[in-house]
Amino acid sequence: MAGSFSIDVTEIRDRARRKMADGPVTEGYRRSTREVIGVLNDVLATEIVCWMRYSRHAISATGIDRAQVAAEFTEHADEERDHAMRAAERISQLGGDPDFDPKTIAERAHTTYETFDDNDLKGMLQENLVAERIVIESYQEIIRWLGDGDVTTRRLMEHILAEEEEHADDLMDLLGN
Ligand code: FE
Ligand code: FE
Ligand code: MG
C-alpha cells in the first residue's frame, strides 16, 4: 500500500523565502545545476550544428527531387534552431549562461557538420539520418540520467527527442525506405 501524502508546508514556506535568490531552483531539485547546465550547453552546440548542416543542405541540394528535399531540410533546420533556443532558455532558468561561442561549438556538439562536393541528395539524406540517430541515442541517455531529478529539463529533452525521431522518420521516407 502506498504511503499517504504529507509535506511540511511551514518548512517549505521558510525555505522558499530564505533561498529566494535561487529563483525556480529549490531544495527539491535533485541534480547539480552546474552539471545540467553543462549537458544543456552541449545540447545547444549540437542543435546549432544541426541547424547549420540542414540550412547548408537546403541551399545546396540539387537534382530531380530538389524542391521536396530542400523543403524538408528547411523545416528541420527551423526545428533545430527552436531546440537550440529552448535549451538556451532552460540554461538561463537554471542560473547559467548559454554558450553560443562559435570557437567551441564544433567540439562540444555530438554531431558533425558534413557537406558534399557534388551536393548529392542521397548522401545528404543519409548523413542527416546518421546525425538524427546520434542525437536520438545521446538524448535518450540524457533523459535517463535526469530521471526525476530535474523533471522540467527531462520533459524538454523528451519533447526534443520526439521531434528528432520524427526527423529520422521523415528522412527514411525521403530515402524511399
Ligand atoms: Fe534538434
Ligand atoms: Fe533533428
Ligand atoms: Mg519534417
Side-chain angles (χ1 to χ4, degrees):
M1 206 176 79
S4 55
F5 182 74
S6 108
I7 46 171
D8 186 343
V9 178
T10 308
E11 178 58 26
I12 289 174
R13 281 180 183 153
D14 185 50
R15 276 202 300 266
R17 200 170 288 282
R18 245 187 306 124
K19 301 206 169 175
M20 209 158 46
D22 290 344
V25 180
T26 65
E27 292 287 298
Y29 191 88
R30 301 263 187 262
R31 282 283 168 268
S32 137
T33 50
R34 190 185 48 78
E35 274 187 308
V36 174
I37 288 164
V39 167
L40 285 173
N41 264 319
D42 292 351
V43 169
L44 172 61
T46 301
E47 296 294 345
I48 291 170
V49 167
C50 291
W51 167 63
M52 289 175 161
R53 194 190 54 255
Y54 273 123
S55 299
R56 162 65 200 271
H57 290 185
I59 298 287
S60 303
T62 52
I64 193 144
D65 295 320
R66 191 212 172 272
Q68 191 192 7
V69 172
E72 195 69 48
F73 287 167
T74 301
E75 187 186 298
H76 289 195
D78 290 347
E79 285 168 356
E80 308 304 11
R81 184 183 170 282
D82 176 66
H83 296 165
M85 292 308 289
R86 283 169 180 252
E89 278 161 19
R90 184 59 184 157
I91 289 166
S92 176
Q93 284 176 359
L94 293 173
D97 292 310
D99 187 352
F100 285 87
D101 188 346
K103 284 199 295 292
T104 58
I105 282 175
E107 54 195 65
R108 286 185 287 128
H110 304 160
T111 51
T112 56
Y113 179 85
E114 307 289 342
T115 56
F116 294 85
D117 289 341
D118 50 358
N119 293 320
D120 81 297
L121 287 183
K122 191 167 185 205
M124 289 178 183
L125 287 164
Q126 286 173 334
E127 191 54 42
N128 286 305
L129 178 58
V130 168
E132 295 294 350
R133 287 173 54 78
I134 292 167
V135 298
I136 288 167
E137 192 167 343
S138 67
Y139 293 178
Q140 283 167 339
E141 292 292 330
I142 292 170
I143 289 162
R144 273 193 280 272
W145 172 69
L146 286 166
D148 61 2
D150 177 343
V151 174
T152 305
T153 303
R154 192 190 76 209
R155 285 182 55 217
L156 168 63
M157 292 306 299
E158 286 173 349
H159 165 83
I160 295 175
L161 173 65
E163 292 197 348
E164 309 302 11
E165 290 179 359
E166 274 177 35
H167 291 173
D169 189 56
D170 291 340
L171 296 166
M172 286 292 281
D173 287 345
L174 289 167
L175 281 162
N177 295 306

